[in-house]
């Protein structure tokens, strides 16, 4: 009797195993790293990786490409010279007072190598003479967007080559300083149009030029109004909220987004003596405006932001976000195939 009772149970188990498939083994999930400092038996030397990276970077140097956009007469060249404390702008390199405003937007890139403390920086300043200076400024942002995308294309073609260069020359625009005229009223349609189109392809940092033409109250109100207008129009300037990596980043960047942006700046490459010290400044009948004095203007904040705290991040956002977006779209439009390189096209054309 006991045997009879056991049989149906066995059948049920077999039937169940036929119906219910065996659970698949779960993919291996990497374990969270566990801190084992307490159990290390001695010094390993992991921390020297930072020094190794520093030595390599010092040998090779690095690229930084900055674009300046805005109407003529807003002090773009002067500000860039002030930022890098050297004559790096287009006008400093080859310009005379008689040079006429171009009929269309031109793109002019000037390269320099700046060295400080043994670190080499290959700096390229890209100027856009003619922007916003015409009677009809419709679509004058197009040549600028075209130039930015051309640099992405150039990098992509190098990247998909079979015989790739060990180090691909980087001409991609890492940062675009957009100069806002200090009207004290609101942004012009051209400002909004430019930033709306270009914020999707490049890191835009808005700056209020020649801020010494406004009183402290006017400056504060204008900054608030510009921030509000950018928000209402859905324009994301750098540092973009969605790219904050952690809470520390978010806290630091929120302060910049809500208080500093847009930076109200004054540029000058002339030195004056103030209280026995040489300072960069602008001389007026009522005194000297010290460029690097935070009580006078926000130039020091802009410099610290672009060079001392966010330069590497500007490069990373360019590579990981803007370039990646361009690359994905380009490969997608091409049916997943890499774009044909210029050399290949030329060799095809020359074949009979």
């Amino acid at each position: 009797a006991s045997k009879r009772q056991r049989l149906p149970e066995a059948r049920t188990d077999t039937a169940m195993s036929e119906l219910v498939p065996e659970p698949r083994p779960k993919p291996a999930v990497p374990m969270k790293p566990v801190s084992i400092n307490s159990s290390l038996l001695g010094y390993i030397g992991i921390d020297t990786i930072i020094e190794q990276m520093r030595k390599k970077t010092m040998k090779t140097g690095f690229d930084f490409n900055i674009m300046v956009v805005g109407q003529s007469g807003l002090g773009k060249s002067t500000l860039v010279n002030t930022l890098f404390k050297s004559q790096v702008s287009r006008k400093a390199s080859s310009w005379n007072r008689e040079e006429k405003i171009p009929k269309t937007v031109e793109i002019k890139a000037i390269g320099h190598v700046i060295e400080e403390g043994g670190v080499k920086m290959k700096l390229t300043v890209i100027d856009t003479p003619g922007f916003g200076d015409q009677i009809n400024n419709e679509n004058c942002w197009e040549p600028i967007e075209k130039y930015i995308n051309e640099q992405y294309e150039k990098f992509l073609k190098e990247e998909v080559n079979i015989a790739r260069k060990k180090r691909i020359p980087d001409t991609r625009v890492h940062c675009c300083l957009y100069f806002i005229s200090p009207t004290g009223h609101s942004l012009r349609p051209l400002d909004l149009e430019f930033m709306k189109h270009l914020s999707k392809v490049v890191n835009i940092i808005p700056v209020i030029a020649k801020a010494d033409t406004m009183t402290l109250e006017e400056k504060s109100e204008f900054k608030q109004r510009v921030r509000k207008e950018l928000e209402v129009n859905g324009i994301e300037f750098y540092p973009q909220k969605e790219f904050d990596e952690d809470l520390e980043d978010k806290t630091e960047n929120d302060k910049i987004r809500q208080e500093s942006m847009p930076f109200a700046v004054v540029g000058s490459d002339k030195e004056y003596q103030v209280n026995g010290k040489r300072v960069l400044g602008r001389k007026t009948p009522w005194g000297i405006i010290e460029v690097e004095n935070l009580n006078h203007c926000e130039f020091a904040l802009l410099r610290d932001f672009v060079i001392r705290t966010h330069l590497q991040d500007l490069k990373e956002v360019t590579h990981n976000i803007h370039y990646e977006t361009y690359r994905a779209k380009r490969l997608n439009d091409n049916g997943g195939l890499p774009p044909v390189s210029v050399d290949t096209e030329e060799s095809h054309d020359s074949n009979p």
Side-chain angles (χ1 to χ4, degrees):
S2 60
K3 277 182 187 173
R4 269 190 223 130
Q5 282 170 347
R6 277 189 202 130
L7 282 170
E9 275 177 32
R11 270 202 305 273
T12 314
D13 289 348
T14 317
M16 285 294 283
S17 65
E18 282 169 9
L19 290 170
V20 181
E22 279 185 38
R24 284 183 188 173
K26 286 184 180 175
V29 178
M31 284 175 65
K32 283 186 180 174
V34 179
S35 181
I36 53 166
N37 281 358
S38 54
S39 56
L40 288 182
L41 301 175
Y43 177 66
I44 303 172
I46 301 165
D47 55 354
T48 61
I49 186 73
I50 305 297
E51 182 58 22
Q52 293 170 44
M53 287 161 78
R54 193 182 74 86
K55 277 184 181 170
K56 268 208 142 159
T57 309
M58 283 181 81
K59 271 184 196 165
T60 55
F62 64 95
D63 304 292
F64 186 59
N65 309 318
I66 186 168
M67 179 181 259
V68 287
V69 182
Q71 278 177 296
S72 58
L74 288 179
K76 299 186 295 296
S77 298
T78 306
L79 188 87
V80 174
N81 289 342
T82 317
L83 260 181
F84 296 100
K85 293 198 172 175
S86 47
Q87 301 292 307
V88 292
S89 69
R90 171 184 63 94
K91 289 186 180 178
S93 305
S94 60
W95 189 71
N96 56 57
R97 289 274 165 206
E98 283 71 51
E99 189 180 302
K100 289 188 172 68
I101 291 169
K103 293 274 186 288
T104 55
V105 178
E106 295 176 3
I107 311 283
K108 298 200 172 176
I110 303 275
H112 301 268
V113 175
I114 297 178
E115 193 169 341
E116 184 182 49
V119 179
K120 280 197 190 90
M121 176 165 83
K122 296 180 189 90
L123 173 72
T124 303
V125 178
I126 304 120
D127 199 356
T128 53
F131 176 85
D133 293 329
Q134 318 306 322
I135 294 167
N136 179 7
N137 290 303
E138 200 179 347
N139 297 345
C140 68
W141 45 266
E142 282 179 351
I144 298 169
E145 184 175 31
K146 183 171 175 273
Y147 176 86
I148 291 168
N149 284 330
E150 277 169 0
Q151 307 321 303
Y152 292 147
E153 182 69 14
K154 213 184 275 185
F155 196 88
L156 177 59
K157 281 182 174 167
E158 286 286 356
E159 212 176 40
V160 297
N161 271 346
I162 294 168
R164 290 205 291 195
K165 289 177 183 165
K166 190 180 172 189
R167 195 161 177 263
I168 299 172
D170 191 0
T171 59
R172 297 169 299 179
V173 180
H174 301 124
C175 168
C176 171
L177 291 181
Y178 185 76
F179 286 69
I180 297 163
S181 189
T183 58
H185 299 296
S186 58
L187 291 170
R188 300 168 305 159
L190 174 62
D191 300 328
L192 293 168
E193 201 65 24
F194 175 88
M195 287 192 265
K196 206 175 276 184
H197 282 95
L198 273 287
S199 61
K200 295 179 181 75
V201 295
V202 72
N203 295 317
I204 290 181
I205 297 176
V207 296
I208 297 166
K210 299 198 167 177
D212 53 329
T213 59
M214 295 187 285
T215 65
L216 293 174
E217 291 79 14
E218 285 169 346
K219 186 174 78 176
S220 174
E221 281 172 23
F222 189 43
K223 280 177 67 141
Q224 281 176 11
R225 203 170 299 134
V226 169
R227 278 198 295 268
K228 188 78 188 146
E229 283 188 63
L230 292 174
E231 192 185 324
V232 167
N233 287 278
I235 295 165
E236 282 258 314
F237 50 81
Y238 178 85
Q240 302 89 335
K241 285 178 194 167
E242 60 196 292
F243 308 144
D244 291 342
E245 287 185 6
D246 51 37
L247 193 62
E248 188 189 346
D249 265 12
K250 188 183 181 311
T251 310
E252 186 188 338
N253 289 341
D254 273 347
K255 196 169 186 293
I256 293 161
R257 285 186 285 256
Q258 290 157 18
E259 293 172 24
S260 306
M261 289 280 186
F263 296 97
V265 295
V266 176
S268 172
D269 37 21
K270 288 194 173 70
E271 280 193 337
Y272 295 96
Q273 196 89 12
V274 176
N275 301 329
K277 277 198 305 187
R278 304 288 294 168
V279 297
L280 287 169
R282 278 169 61 83
K283 198 171 188 182
T284 68
W286 46 88
I288 289 167
I289 296 152
E290 295 170 44
V291 167
E292 295 179 278
N293 184 336
L294 276 174
N295 295 320
H296 293 197
C297 82
E298 294 167 0
F299 169 80
L301 290 177
L302 173 69
R303 181 207 50 217
D304 289 358
F305 177 63
V306 171
I307 299 171
R308 299 183 186 181
T309 62
H310 283 70
L311 190 144
Q312 184 57 29
D313 189 63
L314 281 161
K315 293 185 66 170
E316 282 175 17
V317 171
T318 301
H319 182 73
N320 299 332
I321 310 294
H322 298 305
Y323 169 66
E324 208 51 46
T325 305
Y326 177 86
R327 182 177 170 279
K329 186 181 182 302
R330 188 78 174 78
L331 295 180
N332 196 36
D333 292 350
N334 217 22
L337 296 167
V340 181
S341 77
V342 181
D343 304 343
T344 324
E345 280 174 0
E346 281 169 3
S347 63
H348 281 316
D349 294 343
S350 57
N351 288 338

